Amino acid sequence: MKKKILPYLLLTPMILIMGVLVYYPILATFSYSLKKWKLTAPADIHFIGLKNYIDILQSESFWYSMENTLFILVMVVVFTTICGCMVAMFLNIDVRGSGILMALSILPWALPPYVNGVLWKFVFFSGYGFLNKLLLGMGLISHPIEFLSARWTLLLVVSIVVIWRSTPFMALVCLAGRRSIPSQIYEAARGDGATRTATFRYITAPLMLPFVGVGLTSTSVTAINVFDEIVSLSGYSDLGKNILMESYLTTFEFLNFGKGAAMTYLVMFCALILGVLYLRSLNKEVEY
């Protein structure tokens, strides 16, 4: 009897911590999303059901933010995966100083997101930005380019910053996957006369898919939850806002806690869908 109870007793502190810090806020936020709750009208708080969600889905501002979010998501997922796999293959080479190279490669991931954004702002700023000065010095342009003043160029810059920050984690995950593959498999493949292309296609890529899936899930959540980079590059303007910034502005600028909570749940729902899709596709690959 004691052996059956002991595991639950040992898990009790963590269950309490998760309940207070994770599950209770999730449930409380959902209850807020079903109410009309504006701090500008504190006496008029009442239950309205799904009206906040309906209003959000009918809002042009939400779909503008969703377009920005999808653009950033696609750019970050595609190029982070490509760059991460390339960096992982480079770090997998066993040479002197490889540990130093690995430490240098994770620096962008270690820096705070806001700091990364500020550093890249010095590169793309129209007046004294490094890239504009370089292009002007080379004679490729006649006047500075306003990278941060147009919607799509701003989103492209935001994507570059997030890719720069996310690539090290993807590279480490892919490197772990590559090093987890036994060398005997490659020796057997070489003995059977397999080419490098065939080895990568039928051995390396399938065995690394679960690790790439972990990196994709993390990268997707990062791309959806971009906030600091946008603020550091363009402030709180509507130009480059995504759905997370839309939620922040709704809650803390317009003081609409009910609609802001509903927006937060939509952000979480988008991240949840991506995570489930990645995990299901990986399970199919493993079964296959």
Side-chain angles (χ1 to χ4, degrees), residues 46-117:
H46 59 274
F47 180 82
I48 58 174
L50 299 177
K51 189 176 185 305
N52 283 326
Y53 293 93
I54 296 172
D55 291 344
I56 290 170
L57 294 176
Q58 293 177 345
S59 169
E60 292 183 3
S61 178
F62 171 77
W63 292 111
Y64 177 91
S65 303
M66 181 61 74
E67 287 180 2
N68 292 350
T69 302
L70 291 176
F71 179 87
I72 296 172
L73 176 64
V74 172
M75 292 290 293
V76 170
V77 167
V78 171
F79 288 99
T80 297
T81 304
I82 295 172
C83 296
C85 291
M86 292 176 63
V87 173
M89 293 302 175
F90 176 75
L91 293 176
N92 191 49
I93 301 174
D94 189 11
V95 296
R96 180 180 296 179
S98 58
I100 297 176
L101 293 175
M102 184 177 296
L104 292 175
S105 67
I106 66 173
L107 278 179
W109 183 41
L111 287 175
Y114 190 86
V115 175
N116 268 327

Side-chain angles (χ1 to χ4, degrees), residues 11-32:
L11 287 173
T12 300
M14 182 53 64
I15 293 173
L16 291 175
I17 292 173
M18 292 292 291
V20 173
L21 299 181
V22 178
Y23 298 114
Y24 173 74
I26 289 176
L27 295 175
T29 302
F30 182 70
S31 69
Y32 299 159

